[in-house]
Amino acid sequence: MKKRVTGLGGFFFKTEDPKGLRNWYGKHLGLPVDDYGCTFWWKDKEGNDCSTQWSTFAKDTTYFKPSEKQFMMNFRVENLVELLAVLKEEGVTVVGDIEEYEYGKFGWILDPEGNKIELWEPIDKAFK
């Protein structure tokens, strides 16, 4: 397996007031926020359009489960199915099943400290 992580796909965190905090970041830091947070667009080494998502979540979200941490990272990956199989062979805890959407495939793992990590095989053109 050549590549695993190809970039940061997103950073998600819990907050008391997701909408209010998104608006604060929009007003004071100039982030172009929407209902999901803020999407940062960039190009990879080959010149392909890529994105990284920054999002606020309600403090009682279950999306980060089984982790109890206040945040979750998302990493962009190539060939999610193969990567999850390799990680499982390496003894990494895989959480749930792969989910597919028009903007990519998602899988989840836990790191040794219990942080839930979302792995995303993106289809960036779906956002355009």
Side-chain angles (χ1 to χ4, degrees), residues 40-109:
F40 295 94
W41 288 96
W42 49 278
K43 293 195 182 287
D44 65 13
K45 289 181 181 181
E46 289 79 39
N48 299 307
D49 289 331
C50 301
S51 65
T52 298
Q53 182 67 31
W54 173 90
S55 296
T56 56
F57 280 74
K59 68 177 181 176
D60 60 352
T61 185
T62 59
Y63 193 64
F64 299 0
K65 294 284 184 191
S67 176
E68 294 297 326
K69 304 293 176 108
Q70 294 298 108
F71 68 92
M72 182 175 70
M73 292 177 286
N74 169 298
F75 290 107
R76 299 168 60 90
V77 302
E78 285 188 4
N79 198 338
L80 177 64
V81 173
E82 182 181 342
L83 176 57
L84 286 176
V86 168
L87 291 172
K88 193 170 190 175
E89 286 177 12
E90 294 174 347
V92 174
T93 301
V94 176
V95 178
D97 297 317
I98 291 175
E99 294 183 17
E100 294 188 47
Y101 301 91
E102 68 271 4
Y103 45 88
K105 296 178 188 174
F106 294 85
W108 299 267
I109 61 172

